[in-house]
Structures are given as C-alpha cells and as structure tokens.
Amino acid sequence: MAVDLLRLLRLATVALLLSMAGCATTSTPPPGPKVAKLDIEGTKQVSAGDIKDRILTSQTPWWAFWPFGGPNYFDPNAWQADLRRIERYYQAQGFYQAEVVDSEVKPKGDAVELFVEVNEGEPTRIGDITIEGLQALPEEERGKHRERLESKLPFKKGDIFREGPWEESKGAMQEQLREQGYAEAEVSGEVQVDVDTRLAQVRLEVKPGLRYRFGNTFVATDANPEVPPRRIIEQVQGALRKGDWYSETALAEAQARVFRMGVFGAVKVNRGAPDRESATVPVVVDVREAPFRSVRLGGGIGVDAARQEVRALGEWTHRNFLGGLRRVTLRGRVGYAFIPNILSTSKQGPVFEVTGEYEQPRFLFRDLRQQTSLTLEKGLEQAYDFYGGRLQTGVIWQPHRNFSVFPSYNLQVYRLSGRVSADSRVPPVILGCGEGQTRCDVALSFLEIAFAWDRRDDPVEPRDGYYASLSVQKGGGLLQGDFNYVRLLPDLRFYRSFGEEKRVVLAGKLRMGTLNPAGDSQSSIVTRFFSGGATSMRGFNGQRLSPLAALEKQEDTDGDGEPDTAVQTEEWETVPVGGNSLIETSLELRYQITESIMLAAFWDSGLVGVEGFDSPRAPRLFGPEHYHAVGLGLRYLTVVGPIRLDIARRLNLGQGLPVATPGYIYPTSGGCFGIGSKWKPDGPTSRQATFAGAPDGQCALHLSIGEAF
C-alpha cells in the first residue's frame, strides 16, 4: 500500500508540474477591450440593475482580482444582441412601447465605456380577468374553489401586465386545484394585448377533471430490505391516509417523514396512476437503503482573541443496532486549547468530549422516540477548568417535520477549579462553590422541556422562513442536586429574501434568558449565561460579554515574605464568570455578489446581567448594561456552510462591564485590537466613567464556519 501511495503521489506531482508549465507558456489573448463602465439611462419604472443582470455584456466589478475572477471583455456581436434583449426585457415587464433610443461605445485606453439610453413609454395594464371551466366543479363547492383560485393569482385588475407573474399564475392555480383533490387538473390560458389602448385581457381556462381520494400505499425498495415496508407505510400514514382527499402537500410531508427515519439514501413519494372508476390515487414510495454503519472523521480550529483551539473530530453511527432501527452513535472531540492565545498563554492544555447516544424509534407510538446520551468531558474556560459528565434521557415527540417537543431528565456532575494561570485563581464563591474551597464538586439534577418550531428553508444557509424555540429547566427540589433554580431560554429568528435570485437576505434574531435561583441562593457558573463571539454578540470576543472577576495583584507589605496586600500598579486580568440574565438581538443584511462570495452588514446588541429578570435589581433593556455593535462581514460559501469573517466595533453607549473585585480600576480609553487603549493606576474606578464595555477593546474579529444564526 505504501508503494502504491508513493507512486500516486509522484504521478500527481508530475501532472501538476506539467499543468503549471502549460499555464506558464501559453496564453489566450482577450476577445476585446475590457468593459470599464456600463451606464443605462432613462430607467424609471424598471431597475437598471435588473436589466444588467439579463444581458451578456457586463461591467468589470471592483472585486475582479484573482482568485475570484477577472475582467469582463467587450464583444460587439454580443453588445448588439444585448440592445435587443433590453427591449425584449421591457416587453416582458409590460412596456411594449419601450425602445433603445441611443447607444454608444466610448474607447478609453485599453478599455471601453458603454452607454445606453432607453425610452420606457407607458405600461400595459391588466383589464378584465376571465376564468372559464369552473362550471365543471360541484355546484355546492364552486364558489369556495373560485375564491381560493382567485386568491392564488399574483395580479389583479389594473396591475401592470408582466409575463413572469402571468406564467406563474397558471402553475399556482393548477397547484391549488390539486391541493383540493383534483389530481389531473390542468390550467391554460391566453392574453390579448392591445398596444394602442395599453390593456391586456386575461383569460384562464380550467380543466379540473375528477376529484380524487388517496388509495392504497405501495413500497418499492431494495431486494431483501432490512427496513420492513410496514414501518415505511406507518410513517406515510402520519401525513396521509386512505380516503383522504388527494393533496400534493401531503405527498411532500409523507416523503419528509420517510426520509427522517434516517436510514435511506434516497426517498421519493409519488402518486400512482389514477383509478377513474373508484376516483382514487395510489401512493408509491420508492426508497433505497443507505449503509447502516458510517464513520466520519474531521478536524478544525477555533480562533478568537480570548481563546484558540485545535481539535480532531470523529463519529461512528449504527442505524439499525439489534434491529428495529435503533440508533447508536459514538462521537468524540479531542483538542488542545490556548487561553487567551498561542503566543501569550495564561493557561493551556488538552480538552476532550466523548458522547455515546442511543435512540429508540417508535417508542410506545409512531411519532415518539426515546433518546439517552452520556457525555464525559474535560474543558478549559477563561475563569475555570473542569472535568465533568452529563447524562440526559428523555423522549422526543415530533408530530410534524417542523415541530418537536423534547422533555428530558438531566444529571450533570462537574469538578471545578478556579485556575486562571499558574499563580492566579478565581475565588470559589464566585464560581458558585463554598467559601475556602480550591476545588469543588457540583451536581445539577434537573428536568428540561424544549420546544422547537423550524420553518427555515435551509438550516445551514437560511434565506426564508423562521425558527422559534423555548427551553425550560427546573433543577433541585425533589430532584436533589446542589442548586434549586428555574432557567428559561426562548429564541426567535426570521429570514426574508428579496429579488428573483434571492441575493439579498434580511435576517433577525431575538434571544432572551433568565436564571432564577430559589431564595437567596446563588447560581453555579455552569448554568449561567455568557455572550460574545461569532454566534452571539459580535462586539465582544468569546464569552467576554459577562460579569467579570478581576485577578488581584498582591505585594508583601509586612516583610514576612508572603504577598498580603492587593495593589494595582498594572492593569488586572479579568475573566468572565457569567450572569443570570441574557438578551441578544441581531439584525443582518446579506448580499450575495457572486456564486461563492457574500457580503453582510449587521447590528448586534447584547446584555448579560448579574441578576435574573425576576429580581428588583434586574438589568434594564437598553439600559447602561445593554451594549451595541455594528460591523461588516465576508462569507465564502461552501458545501459545508459559509466560511465567515466578521469585524465589529462596539458603540460607546452604556458603561463598563460589571467587575466583582472591589477597587478595580478600568482603562481610561478603549481602542481596537490593543491600539489606542490606555490604562493608568489613578484611572477611573466608577463604571460610568469608562467607555462602554470596558475593559474589553471596542473591536472584535471573528473567523468561523456557518452563519451567525
């Protein structure tokens, strides 16, 4: 095997050298001069940008540098065809009198500047809309069906007639009829355009055919399948049953339910040939089983100003363990962390997380599955180190592909150490441990119920839809454990795309949380909220939006050789210790400029307060502890999600972060990435006297994979 690999490596090297030599010795002359500028004037009711998107000739963009592309060149034949395309595009938008009245090609050195002037004329508007063929529908339902069909029309009388919506209208009406059971419905039509009167008379012809119900379900699968057909049919029946009116939405839902079983590489749910005598349509399910065992390996890095980590990932899955589609998964992550970074570490060391998960489908009934997981981990955080284990067992009820409910019991055990560096520790009481302990064991026993409603079009790169979730935890009390508390965490996100190609996306997020310990007890650091980082408030580095603890510098003032007095002759190191309340909001505008490059502009805000929202001392929304940041982002789109680079600057609104250590002195000014920041021993000790978010700098840079939300 080693010899074969070496031989392949040599062949690949030779091929690479030959290709490089070929590139170095041959060159293709450009087809014409570079297009430096393209202006279209006279556009009022049609966007010049939309016109440019539909012609071949295009202006050289500012980002036309390697490896993202090159200049765009001028072709006179294509340019003449583009002038005709402009007039045709106007006609498609309802401007049948539009014409190109002037065009010019101006040489400018080795490039050209192009100029086009158009006269749009008056638009053609929709006159009468006639729908024929509805008399074939049952009389008692004719009016109801007409209303539904008319509601699907993307235009109304008096609108500008556009060919795109006209073509869409026939498909939309046909789809609506098939949703009502008319499986063989067809919709056609014609438009008569009077150029002189600028009126378009629209006529639609409907042929509904018979109204069908679903018949029997048939399964086509591999030879000797391991998944019994009855299990597939059972999932189909969660979306449709024999005797229900035919609906293509029901077919799509059935297909999603079968695919969600997680054991098929391909799933297709279609209608069979309609039986006109019985007015039924059979359902045909075509599936192909995927390998029941799989192994995935990978690696990655985490880069942040507050933490850097390199890691290796692995996962083994058996999707039919002991039969019955029981799923067993083992996944692990092993890495090495540097805090705050690899060049200047206050602490470093190995980290790991190993999880075993068992899932039993069809637990008691079809839409319920039982899931149990056990995790062992070792971690390094800025304020503490820990060893721990987590046990979770519960049932997931998913009656719809977009909605799930997950009640579970959780037991978490941690051994915490407040080590920040070799000679600095966070007081145990701040971590939630007893006074005077250097290490402490924490046990959390709680019930949790999590709701999720996911209507995003794509969970990796969403462009339309929304997502809503709610997590409720109740710990302690009859469940024992070291802490008695209630923890709430709702999360709401929305997405809306614009334009025919969905290049512009507006995304928003609202996330809130409150942790309410019982009585006068405190919370544990492992249950508190943190913010800041690539997926939360980007105006701070990872977990840095949080109440802080400062590490005191001590000197020997009594001469006994032991440090005994806290002094501050240099800026103290601070570490985040979490809070009992959380607010995160984001508003982001994304624009895809090429197939693989996207730009973004965002506004983030965040708050992590010491007290929960049930306390009279709870932080105020848009108060001095609510911070804001604006920024820009660059995304490189890949099959595993966008590689994302974001830079954010925090606005000087509010006060410094809360620091638990008495006598802490804040920096006198901020700065970005260490440039412009200042500190002096006699600086301000009042949080109101510092820049917002002190002591952290006012800028943050994040590199990650996947969208922020």
Side-chain angles (χ1 to χ4, degrees):
M1 177 63 73
V3 175
D4 293 339
L5 290 175
L6 182 59
R7 184 177 301 165
L8 289 173
L9 181 59
R10 287 174 177 171
L11 289 173
T13 303
V14 171
L16 178 61
L17 291 174
L18 289 174
S19 65
M20 292 175 63
C23 292
T25 56
T26 62
S27 61
T28 302
K34 182 174 67 174
V35 179
K37 189 176 182 181
L38 173 58
D39 286 338
I40 302 177
E41 296 186 359
T43 57
K44 298 178 181 178
Q45 301 192 66
V46 174
S47 168
D50 290 343
I51 297 174
K52 293 178 181 180
D53 289 341
R54 287 161 175 81
I55 61 177
L56 295 178
T57 306
S58 59
Q59 179 177 318
T60 299
W62 62 267
W63 62 83
F65 54 87
W66 186 90
F68 301 120
N72 296 324
Y73 296 103
F74 176 73
D75 183 339
N77 294 326
W79 176 241
Q80 293 302 317
D82 283 339
L83 297 178
R84 295 190 294 271
R85 288 189 184 97
I86 292 173
E87 293 183 347
R88 178 66 189 96
Y89 178 67
Y90 262 103
Q91 292 172 6
Q93 300 305 305
F95 293 83
Y96 289 91
Q97 297 175 334
E99 59 180 344
V100 174
V101 296
D102 191 17
S103 65
E104 188 176 359
V105 179
K106 297 179 180 179
K108 187 175 182 181
D110 60 348
V112 295
E113 294 182 348
L114 306 179
F115 166 79
V116 179
E117 183 180 358
V118 297
N119 180 12
E120 293 183 330
E122 294 297 323
T124 297
R125 298 189 177 273
I126 296 175
D128 294 330
I129 302 174
T130 304
I131 303 178
E132 299 178 354
L134 295 181
Q135 62 273 14
L137 298 175
E139 184 177 354
E140 63 275 10
E141 297 185 354
R142 194 175 300 161
K144 179 175 62 177
H145 286 311
R146 174 181 284 274
E147 290 179 2
R148 290 174 176 171
L149 292 174
E150 290 180 346
S151 69
K152 291 297 180 179
L153 290 176
F155 51 75
K156 63 182 183 299
K157 185 175 181 179
D159 288 349
I160 297 176
F161 173 74
R162 292 182 170 88
E163 294 179 5
W166 158 244
E167 294 298 330
E168 293 174 7
S169 67
K170 291 178 284 186
M173 293 185 71
Q174 181 172 287
E175 179 183 342
Q176 180 62 30
L177 283 167
R178 293 183 177 182
E179 281 297 298
Q180 303 304 314
Y182 298 94
E184 298 176 302
E186 295 181 358
V187 179
S188 59
E190 64 178 7
V191 178
Q192 295 180 351
V193 176
D194 190 326
V195 178
D196 294 330
T197 61
R198 296 186 297 279
L199 284 177
Q201 307 299 332
V202 176
R203 186 181 70 85
L204 290 160
E205 184 177 357
V206 175
K207 296 179 180 179
L210 293 176
R211 193 178 190 190
Y212 290 91
R213 296 182 183 270
F214 283 116
N216 295 321
T217 299
F218 301 92
V219 177
T221 185
D222 307 276
N224 304 315
E226 293 193 45
V227 181
R230 59 180 175 81
R231 297 292 297 273
I232 300 172
I233 294 174
E234 182 183 51
Q235 290 298 321
V236 171
Q237 290 175 343
L240 59 90
R241 288 185 175 275
K242 183 178 180 179
D244 291 346
W245 289 116
Y246 173 85
S247 166
E248 294 190 347
T249 299
L251 289 176
E253 172 64 17
Q255 179 171 300
R257 293 180 69 94
V258 175
F259 190 78
R260 200 170 62 229
M261 295 173 71
V263 293
F264 299 115
V267 177
K268 190 65 178 177
V269 178
N270 285 317
R271 74 180 195 194
D275 185 342
R276 293 184 174 84
E277 291 185 4
S278 62
T280 59
V281 175
V283 179
V284 179
V285 184
D286 190 359
V287 296
R288 294 294 177 267
E289 292 180 355
F292 286 93
R293 298 176 182 86
S294 64
V295 176
R296 297 194 300 174
L297 299 173
I301 58 173
V303 179
D304 192 282
R307 177 192 181 94
Q308 297 179 4
E309 180 180 326
V310 58
R311 49 186 173 264
L313 310 171
E315 180 179 287
W316 174 84
T317 303
H318 193 315
R319 298 177 180 83
N320 197 25
F321 182 72
L322 300 178
L325 302 184
R326 298 176 180 89
R327 182 193 300 262
V328 173
T329 302
L330 297 176
R331 64 174 66 94
R333 173 179 59 85
V334 180
Y336 201 88
F338 303 88
I339 297 177
N341 59 67
I342 194 171
L343 299 177
S344 175
T345 58
S346 60
K347 62 178 175 180
Q348 59 179 305
V351 294
F352 68 82
E353 180 179 294
V354 180
T355 299
E357 185 177 277
Y358 170 81
E359 184 175 294
Q360 169 68 63
R362 207 190 185 287
F363 183 70
L364 300 180
F365 57 89
R366 182 191 60 217
D367 296 328
L368 195 69
R369 60 186 191 272
Q370 194 274 335
Q371 189 178 92
T372 298
S373 65
L374 177 64
T375 299
L376 302 176
E377 59 183 331
K378 176 185 184 297
L380 300 180
E381 301 295 344
Q382 298 172 45
Y384 64 99
D385 307 347
F386 69 93
Y387 290 90
R390 306 194 305 269
L391 171 68
Q392 182 183 56
T393 182
V395 292
I396 303 174
W397 179 50
Q398 193 169 7
H400 189 274
R401 60 176 171 171
N402 303 122
F403 178 69
S404 64
V405 182
F406 185 16
S408 63
Y409 168 72
N410 299 261
L411 177 63
Q412 300 180 359
V413 179
Y414 299 95
R415 167 155 287 190
L416 305 179
S417 170
R419 183 178 70 90
V420 174
S421 61
D423 56 354
S424 301
R425 292 184 179 273
V426 173
V429 67
I430 294 180
L431 304 182
C433 304
E435 189 69 54
Q437 298 180 351
T438 58
R439 294 177 179 267
C440 71
D441 296 328
V442 173
L444 302 176
S445 178
F446 61 91
L447 294 175
E448 180 180 28
I449 183 167
F451 304 87
W453 179 246
D454 191 350
R455 295 300 304 270
R456 295 173 293 183
D457 60 340
D458 184 348
V460 177
E461 296 180 37
R463 293 176 181 262
D464 285 292
Y466 60 88
Y467 172 86
S469 68
L470 172 65
S471 169
V472 181
Q473 292 182 9
K474 174 63 178 74
L478 297 177
L479 301 173
Q480 300 302 306
D482 295 333
F483 295 90
N484 190 348
Y485 67 93
V486 174
R487 189 177 190 266
L488 304 176
L489 183 62
D491 190 346
L492 178 63
R493 310 171 194 179
F494 77 89
Y495 309 88
R496 175 70 185 277
S497 64
F498 301 90
E500 294 183 7
E501 299 181 0
K502 298 186 176 181
R503 290 183 176 270
V504 179
V505 178
L506 179 65
K509 179 184 75 171
L510 172 62
R511 187 166 176 255
M512 301 180 64
T514 182
L515 176 62
N516 305 327
D520 296 329
S521 62
Q522 63 177 339
S523 59
S524 170
I525 194 170
V526 295
T527 63
R528 295 175 194 153
F529 298 109
F530 295 83
S531 187
T535 59
S536 55
M537 205 296 199
R538 285 166 283 186
F540 290 87
N541 290 305
Q543 295 193 343
R544 293 295 298 182
L545 174 49
S546 161
L548 304 175
L551 306 181
E552 297 180 346
K553 308 295 182 180
Q554 295 188 334
E555 291 184 354
D556 178 15
T557 58
D558 57 10
D560 62 357
E562 295 291 334
D564 52 24
T565 303
V567 297
Q568 192 168 355
T569 57
E570 61 183 38
E571 187 174 355
W572 290 356
E573 183 178 1
T574 56
V575 291
V577 294
N580 292 346
S581 55
L582 168 74
I583 295 177
E584 289 177 351
T585 66
S586 290
L587 192 64
E588 184 168 286
L589 187 65
R590 305 164 184 166
Y591 176 63
Q592 186 172 350
I593 57 178
T594 71
E595 290 185 359
S596 57
I597 301 297
M598 178 176 283
L599 296 177
F602 59 86
W603 164 68
D604 288 356
S605 79
L607 176 156
V608 177
V610 175
E611 301 290 341
F613 285 119
D614 68 326
S615 169
R617 299 184 300 276
R620 294 182 291 110
L621 182 66
F622 298 110
E625 295 179 356
H626 194 170
Y627 305 102
H628 305 264
V630 294
L632 297 174
L634 178 68
R635 286 93 169 95
Y636 182 75
L637 307 182
T638 70
V639 294
V640 296
I643 299 175
R644 182 164 55 91
L645 177 66
D646 289 329
I647 183 169
R649 179 178 176 85
R650 202 165 56 251
L651 304 179
N652 195 16
L653 301 174
Q655 59 189 21
L657 292 167
V659 179
T661 307
Y664 175 75
I665 299 175
Y666 288 87
T668 56
S669 63
C672 285
F673 310 115
I675 301 174
S677 59
K678 295 181 181 179
W679 182 90
K680 55 184 180 179
D682 57 348
T685 58
S686 168
R687 293 173 61 196
Q688 288 79 5
T690 61
F691 61 92
D696 281 28
Q698 293 176 286
C699 298
L701 184 70
H702 308 281
L703 178 64
S704 61
I705 296 180
E707 283 294 357
F709 57 91

